[in-house]
Amino acid sequence: MDNTTKSKTHASESDDAPRSESRRGFLKIAAATGAVVSMSRTRAFANGDIGYHSQELPDDKLIDMYRTALKIRWHERTQADEMLSNPDYRGYNHFYAGQEAVATGICAALRNDGPFDQIDLAYSSHRPSGHAIAKGVDIPKMCAENDFRSTGLNGGYAAEMHLSDPDVGFIGADGMIGPSMPIATGSAFAFRARGSDQVAVVFGGDGTYATPHFHSALNNAKLLDLPFIYVLENNLYHQYAHYSYSCPHKDIANAAAAYGIPSRVVDGQDVFQVYNAAKEAVDRARAGDGPSFIEAKTYRYYNHWGAPGATAGELGAFGYDPLAITSFRPEREVRAWMQRDPIDIARKTLVDWGVLDAAGADAIETEVKAEIAEAFAWAAQQPFCQPEDGLKNVFADGAVPARQFG
Amino acid sequence: MDNTTKSKTHASESDDAPRSESRRGFLKIAAATGAVVSMSRTRAFANGDIGYHSQELPDDKLIDMYRTALKIRWHERTQADEMLSNPDYRGYNHFYAGQEAVATGICAALRNDGPFDQIDLAYSSHRPSGHAIAKGVDIPKMCAENDFRSTGLNGGYAAEMHLSDPDVGFIGADGMIGPSMPIATGSAFAFRARGSDQVAVVFGGDGTYATPHFHSALNNAKLLDLPFIYVLENNLYHQYAHYSYSCPHKDIANAAAAYGIPSRVVDGQDVFQVYNAAKEAVDRARAGDGPSFIEAKTYRYYNHWGAPGATAGELGAFGYDPLAITSFRPEREVRAWMQRDPIDIARKTLVDWGVLDAAGADAIETEVKAEIAEAFAWAAQQPFCQPEDGLKNVFADGAVPARQFG
Amino acid sequence: MAQKSWMYSVLEAVQWEMQNDPRMIWIFELTPPVASNPGKPVINLETEFGRKRVVNTGIDENWMASCCLGASLAGSPAATYIPYQGALMPFQVIQNVAGKLRHMTGGRAQMPVVWIIEMTGQTPGFAGQHSCYEEDSYYAHVPGVRTVIPSTPYDAKGMMHAALRSPDPVVYLYPAGLRTLVEDVPDEPYEVPLDKAAVRQEGNDLTIVSSGGGMPEVLKAAETLQGEGMSVEVVDLRVLKEMDTETLVNSVGKTKRLLTVDQSYYTLGPGAEVIARVATEVEGAKYKRVAFPDAPPPASPEMFVWMRPDAEKIAGAARELV
Amino acid sequence: MAQKSWMYSVLEAVQWEMQNDPRMIWIFELTPPVASNPGKPVINLETEFGRKRVVNTGIDENWMASCCLGASLAGSPAATYIPYQGALMPFQVIQNVAGKLRHMTGGRAQMPVVWIIEMTGQTPGFAGQHSCYEEDSYYAHVPGVRTVIPSTPYDAKGMMHAALRSPDPVVYLYPAGLRTLVEDVPDEPYEVPLDKAAVRQEGNDLTIVSSGGGMPEVLKAAETLQGEGMSVEVVDLRVLKEMDTETLVNSVGKTKRLLTVDQSYYTLGPGAEVIARVATEVEGAKYKRVAFPDAPPPASPEMFVWMRPDAEKIAGAARELV
Ligand SMILES: Cc1ncc(C[n+]2csc(CCOP(=O)(O)OP(=O)(O)O)c2C)c(N)n1
Ligand SMILES: Cc1ncc(C[n+]2csc(CCOP(=O)(O)OP(=O)(O)O)c2C)c(N)n1
Ligand SMILES: [Mg+2]
Ligand SMILES: [Mg+2]
């Protein structure tokens, strides 16, 4: 059974949430009853105190968000299948599937095109494919990059962990945990110094909490009132350790709030709630009112890196991860989270709001699948890199000498 | 007029604090009325919620604390005078005068002698002379070290910023701001691993708040429930910047409390209040109940480094500090803080408690001055270092080769 | 005695030291201190010594390294495994505190601490930060820290015993590319000194000096060259600080030809120090350096494999030199 | 044109660039960007450009350096002054992010950022952490970052203009011992290239190569030697990355004698790279290295002054070599 096609029925059967015809009404009632995120429901609810910004969006913007989340999902699934079943495929990924609503909801609130000195900048992590797509990078080029092709987004130098496209304000992925947060505050610093209303966003995992950079970034962002948004995607694990091994807070947002930074926990499985939080944070930053912290509670469907434990054609990894050695996340935990799938929730909400009907939603999904399949097909045709090019791009000009031959 | 000899009268004239014959009564009433630290009074008051541990101490222990604070003070004054008036004197210092109650009160709650695997360890900062004396290092040897003598505490290798004497648990000074805090948690980690009831204390200034190490130390101390005490001496300035340039909290203790660490603000000018807080923290650590944070509000009478702006024979520096360049602390601020002098307060309290009379207090002061004068005299007679010894002590054995001659 | 891998050999030494010194601690982050080896019991330090002595922590390598330093200062021998991603996070505390502390305190500070610092650089496909091999030089310039880089399981175990028993702080570099090496390693504890290079092969025509992750390809190249009739002396530095000048000078004094091989970047790679030490002592010798270029390693395997020194390139350079 | 100090010359360049590019920012910690010079207006960047572009921060050098990197990635040229106490705090982000980012992104990242990193090592009496001089080597091994170390006020200004205009990240080392140097420096902006060594004095008998804080004593020694009839060529590296091999090889090709002088520690000091580059190119030359021993600098002036290379020791080594 395809979850997405039955979503409406499913929702009406299992949800005890208040109902309303209108988007506004739906959300207002949810808020008034103080409904909160609950793992036992498939329906997402507004946190009571979040503004209702999504509902004010035009239909095409809402549909775009759904489409973006779908693109991320199908990029993930297609790449996982490639890794699992195509022996010629060389790419790899830190899969983002399960977290699509976070990247999508945040980037939907940002300025993603225009001149470089006017767009908002996003700093990503070692798990960048979702952020890259949401920020607007060219997907075929990204697929080519991930497979080390010379016509890839970054000429085959970057691969997954360093994807970068300043043209859409995607400063890029970073393989290290920690450094990107202070660096991102630096972009915010520049915006403030220039009197620009641009905003800098950094995406980081729950693993970033323990890094010394967490303190540096938040403290200085607060002291200088920087237009900086820290999006902490709490997917419960950093590599193979539960976040309680490194963090004494249940809600990491509390740690940020201690700096005096407006901080909130948001349901990371509901793209519209993420958008609501992002909208407020972006508005605050543009108005010169300083930084925000958003903790999105979310979950990744695959293991930390690559596709161990996954099966081609199926979503998620439940099996053994040979890299985990001593600690595993429980399969039931994975399955429980998959009950609140961000794609399902987005679709159901739009259907519920009357923005899409099931046929429309299906059509979009079909389009997206085709687009992603084409991207991978195009990438697979791209040329490999020239060995000597490894000596270029060390500095802006020229190439460094070869030294490997003596 | 010598403040100290008239303290009793002075206190009765100017204080509107509640009175009592007994120590216990005095403090109890102070607490009951909710009296708090106030800059406008010369008398110190208990914070209402601090235990009354000082009062339970035997007289000789209380007198020891007074004597220790005095030793620190006269070491400072004597060295400042040397720097200002003896052209042959080569030592320097980051003067601690004004902060004596902090080092004294904290170290009075620690185990400072016995076998190395049973004593408590203290990590100091770039401003170590007070901590060193309070922890029990040999003062003449310290004076010799500060003047680069080969028989100094550390053979002339250390000078002021690296004084170290593991025999009394004084792991030592550190010229860097930040690194000592995580290192100190490491000693606490070892104690916990060994099942020892030892405690590790680190002294740091308000400047340490902004360092990334602040987060690392507190987060891990909390996560692992380490027997670790962070004593933050908030003397309002880090070098020439007010702490508000680097910290969004009025009370830095709030930042520590956010980690779930018992944290308190204490009057850093009252050695007995500092002791009270230290005693609780030490008890907690020894009982296996984890870390504590103590923010002592205090002030240094001299400028950041050396004696610029000071006059031989006079306490404190009010004049121009050529190193400050663009920012100065107001002279009135210095003078206001000197109204609540930690030595005066200790003396007055002990006289008030009937532990000492004025004559007894004077006698101690005379003894301490003589002891310090002798220490400096002894140090000045000590031999200089042998140049070649600079190649030793790089590793435990042997010496590294000379390379400066080619 | 049994065939053991590099990591099993290391953990065997650590396990022995932890059994024999209840004060000793171990801190880790991603890589649990677990190793298995055919025919040998699984070593799991965490379960054997419990979660007070062996602790799994968050992503803060500077804290891990600092914590071990502080433990050692409190009298507990301490070791940690820093994954390559965090290899330079603790650099400042090692360089500016640990390396200087004994000297700064006039010999008072005792620091029985070992930082196992993983190095990568062996796997194509990971860009920049995940396939660089460069830490050797950074750490080797630091005084007061013994920087070693064993290249065989036997040395790895013996140097780990020596490192844990040393009152000096030790940076113990572990090139992850050596993971697959296996050789006969005694079960009982033994020490390999922390200040001696090893002559892996004797010869008269040419000296090749390398270390760590460079050694397997050097040995392969030497075999090829030997087959072609060249008499090659191969020196494995093993120790970067204090570097064993005598072995180097003796060898090149004999061969008059020195080829250095670094997987590290060319500029100020260990080979630079080797040549400089020899050139001031030996007259009339000839020199060549093979190294990774002064460029980050690119993701593309085509680029990366071409840039990385390997047996063929090393042999080519040797032929040019002799 | 006027006689200007090193720091005044630098701030003059910074001031000009900030006046001409309103995007540019400056971050400082203890040392306000203020300089005065006889006969010249006081430069105060903070008051001139305001507290949004020029910011005084807390003690977090890694943040300062990272912030400038992020500003540059957002299109704002950025500079910061890292005091020597924090010289290695930002090492990891410079080494592992800034140095690799252009390459890792296939040339997409632009980083007009300059980190002025103070070095000490000149003053007796400050132990270990406060008188070490060692950062040159650490930073010079990093690829993708131009590491320069001007030794004169003229170069300091010209290289600062060049550095701020460069799209490459620049580690701009400032040996604090050069603080007292004064020379004629033009008022108008000009560039000194970021990839050329300078021949400070020509000669035929011997080449002495040094850099930064080593230069004043080298020049003094050269004068003494010249007075004794020795013809000395003095090369100031100025740039550690990319090192100007050609100038070095040409010089030693002529003199056949190379003396390197480092205030940095011996092992893997810049002199090691200089000798290694020359030795692979020039045959039959003779080499000597003067450097600070592989020991932290002790507090005692007696020990420190004896250990530090100075004109007399340099001249002594030169006499032995020629
Ligand atoms: C400084 C540093 N240390 C260690 C690593 C290895 N590492 C890569 S991803 C990761 C876990 C990150 O967890 P989290 O931030 O929660 O992100 P997630 O993988 O869950 O998206 C770790 C430890 C690293 N990349 N950088
Ligand atoms: C990492 C580092 N950066 C800069 C310095 C220079 N420095 C020495 S003391 C000091 C101020 C410290 O202030 P605080 O912690 O409040 O201690 P206080 O001097 O007030 O006792 C600074 C910035 C240093 N020692 N270490
Ligand atoms: Mg995570
Ligand atoms: Mg202070």
Side-chain angles (χ1 to χ4, degrees):
Chain A
M1 174 180 113
D2 182 349
N3 267 341
T4 53
T5 53
K6 292 246 192 142
S7 60
K8 183 121 198 191
T9 343
H10 183 202
S12 8
E13 277 164 16
S14 64
D15 276 359
D16 52 357
R19 271 300 135 75
S20 158
E21 290 306 276
S22 80
R23 297 180 215 164
R24 180 182 295 271
F26 167 78
L27 286 159
K28 274 239 172 108
I29 294 170
T33 61
V36 289
V37 175
S38 148
M39 279 296 301
S40 64
R41 295 183 177 123
T42 60
R43 171 66 60 91
F45 300 103
N47 293 338
D49 56 345
I50 283 193
Y52 311 107
H53 305 292
S54 304
Q55 62 178 333
E56 310 293 357
L57 293 172
D59 286 5
D60 59 344
K61 174 90 184 175
L62 291 168
I63 293 172
D64 264 3
M65 286 162 74
Y66 175 57
R67 189 187 299 273
T68 298
L70 266 176
K71 283 184 192 173
I72 300 173
R73 170 63 53 88
W74 284 105
H75 172 270
E76 304 289 297
R77 294 194 60 165
T78 311
Q79 191 182 17
D81 287 356
E82 283 288 290
M83 289 173 66
L84 291 162
S85 53
N86 176 357
D88 291 337
Y89 184 72
R90 306 187 300 173
Y92 53 83
N93 204 356
H94 292 84
F95 287 110
Y96 191 70
Q99 306 185 199
E100 291 89 344
V102 186
T104 305
I106 298 289
C107 293
L110 301 178
R111 227 183 270 144
N112 301 322
D113 47 38
F116 186 67
D117 63 2
Q118 286 170 35
I119 53 179
D120 298 322
L121 300 186
Y123 286 77
S124 174
S125 69
H126 60 290
R127 196 176 297 289
S129 47
H131 310 139
I133 292 175
K135 197 74 177 73
V137 312
D138 185 275
I139 297 176
K141 282 194 185 163
M142 176 176 125
C143 291
E145 183 59 41
N146 284 345
D147 200 18
F148 317 111
R149 307 296 169 134
S150 71
T151 47
L153 188 66
N154 301 100
Y157 290 75
E160 179 223 7
M161 275 186 291
H162 303 288
L163 294 171
S164 170
D165 188 357
D167 289 349
V168 296
F170 186 67
I171 290 296
D174 193 347
M176 294 296 110
I177 308 300
S180 54
M181 290 107 66
I183 298 171
T185 64
S187 294
F189 186 107
F191 300 153
R192 177 171 164 275
R194 305 200 296 241
S196 164
D197 73 346
Q198 291 165 276
V199 173
V201 175
V202 66
F203 291 94
D206 46 290
T208 62
Y209 164 78
T211 69
H213 309 78
F214 184 85
H215 178 61
S216 295
L218 293 179
N219 188 46
N220 287 290
K222 172 64 189 173
L223 280 167
L224 302 171
D225 272 333
L226 301 180
F228 168 73
I229 302 172
Y230 191 137
V231 179
L232 190 137
E233 301 188 64
N234 188 347
N235 62 10
L236 309 191
Y237 293 86
H238 51 279
Q239 215 138 334
Y240 312 106
H242 191 266
Y243 78 103
S244 56
Y245 273 89
S246 64
C247 179
H249 303 278
K250 184 163 177 295
D251 290 335
I252 301 177
N254 286 340
Y259 293 87
I261 293 176
S263 303
R264 72 180 334 137
V265 174
V266 71
D267 176 2
Q269 305 311 93
D270 179 354
V271 65
F272 304 114
Q273 289 203 45
V274 174
Y275 174 83
N276 290 342
K279 174 79 167 70
E280 290 187 356
V282 169
D283 287 350
R284 186 180 297 126
R286 292 212 206 288
D289 293 335
S292 304
F293 187 94
I294 299 171
E295 178 183 1
K297 305 281 194 188
T298 185
Y299 202 76
R300 58 173 155 74
Y301 292 170
Y302 290 89
N303 279 308
H304 172 67
W305 183 77
T311 310
E314 271 180 40
L315 178 63
F318 312 97
Y320 171 71
D321 179 354
L323 294 171
I325 307 183
T326 52
S327 58
F328 304 95
R329 52 185 200 171
E331 179 174 335
R332 287 181 187 176
E333 185 180 271
V334 186
R335 296 205 186 271
W337 275 89
M338 289 179 80
Q339 295 304 307
R340 296 195 65 257
D341 183 70
I343 308 293
D344 290 354
I345 290 173
R347 179 184 165 121
K348 279 184 216 173
T349 306
L350 293 188
V351 171
D352 192 63
W353 288 358
V355 174
L356 276 178
D357 59 16
D362 288 348
I364 290 172
E365 192 169 335
T366 308
E367 271 166 49
V368 165
K369 280 189 198 174
E371 182 187 333
I372 298 294
E374 251 172 69
F376 275 87
W378 181 82
Q381 302 306 318
Q382 298 305 301
F384 291 139
C385 296
Q386 291 303 315
E388 309 77 43
D389 284 350
L391 303 176
K392 294 183 187 158
N393 287 317
V394 179
F395 296 112
D397 295 320
V400 299
R403 301 294 191 182
Q404 65 273 36
F405 300 106
Chain B
M1 172 178 114
D2 182 351
N3 266 343
T4 54
T5 54
K6 291 246 193 140
S7 59
K8 185 122 197 191
T9 345
H10 183 202
S12 4
E13 276 162 17
S14 63
D15 277 358
D16 51 358
R19 267 305 134 71
S20 157
E21 289 306 276
S22 80
R23 297 180 215 164
R24 180 181 296 271
F26 166 78
L27 287 159
K28 274 237 170 108
I29 294 171
T33 61
V36 288
V37 175
S38 150
M39 278 297 300
S40 64
R41 293 181 180 125
T42 60
R43 171 67 59 90
F45 301 102
N47 293 339
D49 56 344
I50 281 193
Y52 310 107
H53 306 292
S54 304
Q55 61 178 336
E56 310 292 358
L57 292 172
D59 285 5
D60 59 344
K61 174 92 184 174
L62 291 168
I63 292 173
D64 264 3
M65 285 162 75
Y66 175 57
R67 189 186 298 273
T68 298
L70 266 176
K71 283 184 192 174
I72 300 174
R73 170 63 54 87
W74 284 104
H75 173 270
E76 304 289 295
R77 296 194 59 166
T78 311
Q79 192 182 17
D81 287 355
E82 283 287 290
M83 288 172 66
L84 291 163
S85 53
N86 176 358
D88 291 338
Y89 185 72
R90 307 188 299 174
Y92 53 83
N93 204 356
H94 292 83
F95 287 111
Y96 191 68
Q99 305 184 202
E100 291 89 344
V102 186
T104 304
I106 298 289
C107 293
L110 300 177
R111 229 183 268 143
N112 302 320
D113 47 37
F116 185 68
D117 63 3
Q118 286 171 34
I119 53 178
D120 297 323
L121 300 186
Y123 286 76
S124 175
S125 68
H126 62 289
R127 195 176 298 288
S129 47
H131 311 137
I133 292 175
K135 198 73 176 74
V137 310
D138 185 274
I139 297 175
K141 282 194 183 161
M142 177 177 126
C143 292
E145 183 61 39
N146 284 345
D147 199 18
F148 315 112
R149 307 296 170 134
S150 71
T151 47
L153 189 66
N154 301 100
Y157 291 75
E160 179 223 6
M161 276 186 293
H162 303 288
L163 293 171
S164 170
D165 187 357
D167 289 349
V168 296
F170 186 67
I171 291 296
D174 193 347
M176 294 295 109
I177 309 298
S180 55
M181 290 106 67
I183 298 171
T185 63
S187 293
F189 186 107
F191 300 153
R192 176 171 165 274
R194 304 199 298 240
S196 164
D197 74 346
Q198 291 163 277
V199 173
V201 175
V202 67
F203 291 95
D206 46 290
T208 62
Y209 164 77
T211 69
H213 308 78
F214 184 86
H215 179 61
S216 295
L218 294 179
N219 188 46
N220 287 289
K222 173 65 189 174
L223 281 166
L224 301 171
D225 271 334
L226 302 181
F228 168 71
I229 303 172
Y230 192 136
V231 180
L232 190 136
E233 301 188 62
N234 188 347
N235 62 10
L236 309 191
Y237 293 86
H238 52 279
Q239 214 139 333
Y240 312 107
H242 191 265
Y243 79 103
S244 57
Y245 274 88
S246 63
C247 179
H249 303 278
K250 184 161 178 297
D251 291 335
I252 301 177
N254 286 342
Y259 293 86
I261 293 176
S263 304
R264 73 179 334 137
V265 174
V266 71
D267 174 3
Q269 304 312 93
D270 179 354
V271 64
F272 304 114
Q273 288 202 46
V274 174
Y275 174 83
N276 290 342
K279 175 78 166 69
E280 290 187 355
V282 169
D283 287 351
R284 185 180 298 127
R286 291 211 205 289
D289 293 334
S292 304
F293 186 94
I294 299 171
E295 178 184 2
K297 304 281 193 189
T298 185
Y299 202 76
R300 57 173 154 74
Y301 292 172
Y302 291 89
N303 279 308
H304 172 66
W305 184 77
T311 310
E314 269 180 41
L315 178 62
F318 312 98
Y320 172 70
D321 179 354
L323 294 170
I325 307 182
T326 52
S327 59
F328 304 96
R329 52 185 200 171
E331 179 174 336
R332 287 181 188 175
E333 184 179 273
V334 185
R335 296 205 186 270
W337 275 88
M338 288 178 81
Q339 296 304 308
R340 295 194 66 256
D341 183 69
I343 308 294
D344 289 355
I345 290 172
R347 180 185 164 120
K348 280 184 214 171
T349 307
L350 293 187
V351 171
D352 192 63
W353 289 358
V355 173
L356 275 180
D357 58 15
D362 288 348
I364 290 170
E365 193 169 335
T366 308
E367 272 167 49
V368 165
K369 281 188 198 176
E371 183 187 332
I372 298 294
E374 249 171 69
F376 274 87
W378 181 82
Q381 301 306 318
Q382 298 304 302
F384 291 139
C385 296
Q386 291 303 314
E388 310 78 43
D389 284 350
L391 302 175
K392 295 185 187 156
N393 287 318
V394 178
F395 296 113
D397 295 321
V400 299
R403 301 294 190 183
Q404 66 273 36
F405 300 106
Chain C
M1 186 78 94
Q3 292 264 312
K4 290 171 195 160
S5 68
W6 212 99
M7 210 15 100
Y8 194 86
S9 308
V10 169
L11 286 194
E12 209 173 46
V14 173
Q15 181 184 40
W16 194 94
E17 297 292 335
M18 290 193 81
Q19 285 168 350
N20 286 274
D21 188 341
R23 298 169 309 171
M24 189 182 154
I25 62 146
W26 176 281
I27 298 178
F28 70 101
E29 172 186 354
L30 328 167
T31 314
V34 176
S36 53
N37 203 70
K40 303 288 302 171
V42 170
I43 300 175
N44 184 330
L45 302 181
E46 193 180 12
T47 51
E48 179 172 353
F49 301 106
R51 289 195 167 173
K52 286 200 168 152
R53 292 178 64 194
V54 179
V55 170
N56 184 0
T57 68
I59 306 171
D60 186 355
E61 293 86 4
N62 183 54
W63 180 77
M64 294 164 70
S66 300
C67 183
C68 284
L69 176 59
S72 77
L73 286 165
S76 276
T80 184
Y81 185 98
I82 308 280
Y84 63 86
Q85 297 97 332
L88 271 311
M89 292 286 179
F91 185 62
Q92 193 274 342
V93 72
I94 293 175
Q95 163 263 337
N96 213 13
V97 184
K100 291 172 176 160
L101 203 54
R102 175 182 295 283
H103 197 259
M104 289 193 303
T105 60
R108 301 296 297 272
Q110 302 291 324
M111 291 163 282
V113 54
V114 181
W115 302 285
I116 303 176
I117 297 185
E118 196 181 58
M119 297 172 76
T120 175
Q122 313 302 308
T123 328
F126 297 92
Q129 300 168 336
H130 284 65
S131 42
C132 54
Y133 183 105
E134 57 187 286
E135 293 81 1
D136 45 7
S137 289
Y138 303 129
Y139 284 105
H141 187 56
V142 176
V145 172
R146 298 193 179 277
T147 295
V148 304
I149 182 161
S151 78
T152 70
Y154 180 90
D155 282 357
K157 174 165 174 173
M159 293 179 98
M160 181 51 70
H161 276 295
L164 288 170
R165 294 169 189 180
S166 165
D168 297 323
V170 177
V171 165
Y172 184 102
L173 298 171
Y174 166 41
L178 303 179
R179 194 180 280 126
T180 52
L181 291 187
V182 163
E183 70 179 335
D184 267 339
V185 173
D187 296 335
E188 53 284 351
Y190 59 94
E191 291 188 34
V192 170
L194 303 178
D195 57 1
K196 289 272 169 294
V199 178
R200 297 288 178 206
Q201 179 177 309
E202 297 197 13
N204 295 307
D205 298 339
L206 167 72
T207 303
I208 307 185
V209 178
S210 188
S211 60
M215 287 307 299
E217 295 293 312
V218 164
L219 292 169
K220 244 192 268 175
E223 211 180 297
T224 308
L225 294 165
Q226 209 80 17
E228 295 169 7
M230 200 187 291
S231 168
V232 182
E233 182 138 315
V234 175
V235 179
D236 177 356
L237 286 173
R238 289 204 298 202
V239 180
L240 298 175
K241 191 87 166 223
E242 300 281 291
M243 198 181 269
D244 176 6
T245 315
E246 202 187 332
T247 300
L248 301 171
V249 168
N250 287 346
S251 178
V252 184
K254 177 175 66 174
T255 62
K256 298 285 182 184
R257 296 282 181 282
L258 171 58
L259 171 65
T260 62
V261 178
D262 290 326
Q263 296 291 348
S264 198
Y265 304 129
Y266 178 80
T267 296
L268 285 168
E273 183 62 30
V274 169
I275 292 179
R277 289 197 178 204
V278 170
T280 52
E281 299 285 322
V282 177
E283 285 198 28
K286 289 180 69 180
Y287 303 93
K288 232 181 196 334
R289 289 164 81 184
V290 163
F292 200 91
D294 285 325
S300 148
E302 289 75 29
M303 297 197 269
F304 178 75
V305 167
W306 179 78
M307 289 166 78
R308 202 180 154 240
D310 59 18
E312 204 184 312
K313 295 177 191 116
I314 296 164
R319 286 184 206 108
E320 277 178 38
L321 187 59
V322 178
Chain D
M1 185 79 92
Q3 293 263 311
K4 290 171 195 159
S5 68
W6 211 98
M7 209 15 100
Y8 193 85
S9 308
V10 169
L11 286 195
E12 210 174 45
V14 173
Q15 181 184 40
W16 194 93
E17 297 292 336
M18 291 192 80
Q19 285 168 350
N20 286 276
D21 188 342
R23 298 170 308 171
M24 188 181 155
I25 63 146
W26 176 279
I27 297 179
F28 70 101
E29 172 185 356
L30 327 168
T31 313
V34 176
S36 52
N37 204 71
K40 303 287 301 171
V42 170
I43 300 175
N44 185 330
L45 303 180
E46 194 180 12
T47 51
E48 179 172 354
F49 300 107
R51 288 194 167 173
K52 285 198 168 153
R53 291 178 65 194
V54 179
V55 170
N56 182 2
T57 68
I59 306 172
D60 187 355
E61 293 85 4
N62 183 53
W63 179 77
M64 294 165 68
S66 301
C67 182
C68 285
L69 176 60
S72 77
L73 286 164
S76 276
T80 183
Y81 184 98
I82 308 280
Y84 63 86
Q85 297 97 332
L88 270 311
M89 292 287 179
F91 185 63
Q92 193 273 344
V93 72
I94 293 175
Q95 164 263 338
N96 214 12
V97 183
K100 292 171 177 162
L101 203 54
R102 174 182 296 280
H103 197 259
M104 288 192 305
T105 61
R108 302 294 299 271
Q110 302 292 324
M111 291 164 282
V113 52
V114 182
W115 303 283
I116 303 176
I117 297 185
E118 196 181 57
M119 297 172 76
T120 174
Q122 313 303 309
T123 327
F126 296 92
Q129 300 169 335
H130 284 65
S131 42
C132 52
Y133 182 106
E134 56 187 286
E135 292 81 2
D136 46 7
S137 289
Y138 304 130
Y139 284 105
H141 187 55
V142 176
V145 173
R146 298 195 180 277
T147 294
V148 303
I149 182 162
S151 79
T152 69
Y154 180 91
D155 282 358
K157 175 165 174 174
M159 293 179 98
M160 181 51 70
H161 276 295
L164 289 170
R165 294 168 189 182
S166 165
D168 297 323
V170 178
V171 165
Y172 183 102
L173 298 170
Y174 166 40
L178 303 179
R179 193 180 281 125
T180 51
L181 291 186
V182 163
E183 70 179 335
D184 267 339
V185 174
D187 296 335
E188 52 283 352
Y190 59 95
E191 291 189 34
V192 170
L194 302 178
D195 58 1
K196 288 274 170 290
V199 178
R200 296 290 176 203
Q201 179 177 307
E202 299 199 11
N204 296 306
D205 297 339
L206 168 71
T207 303
I208 307 185
V209 178
S210 188
S211 59
M215 287 308 298
E217 296 293 312
V218 164
L219 293 170
K220 243 192 270 175
E223 211 181 297
T224 307
L225 293 166
Q226 209 79 17
E228 295 170 7
M230 199 187 289
S231 169
V232 183
E233 181 139 315
V234 176
V235 179
D236 177 356
L237 287 172
R238 291 204 296 203
V239 180
L240 298 174
K241 191 88 165 221
E242 301 279 292
M243 198 181 269
D244 175 6
T245 315
E246 202 187 332
T247 299
L248 301 171
V249 168
N250 287 347
S251 178
V252 184
K254 177 175 67 174
T255 62
K256 297 285 182 186
R257 297 282 181 281
L258 171 59
L259 172 65
T260 62
V261 177
D262 290 326
Q263 296 292 347
S264 197
Y265 304 128
Y266 177 80
T267 296
L268 285 168
E273 183 62 30
V274 170
I275 292 179
R277 289 198 179 204
V278 170
T280 51
E281 299 287 322
V282 177
E283 287 200 25
K286 289 179 69 180
Y287 303 93
K288 232 181 196 333
R289 289 164 81 183
V290 163
F292 200 91
D294 284 325
S300 148
E302 289 74 30
M303 297 197 271
F304 178 75
V305 168
W306 179 77
M307 289 165 79
R308 201 179 155 241
D310 59 18
E312 202 183 314
K313 294 175 192 118
I314 296 164
R319 287 184 206 108
E320 277 178 39
L321 187 59
V322 177

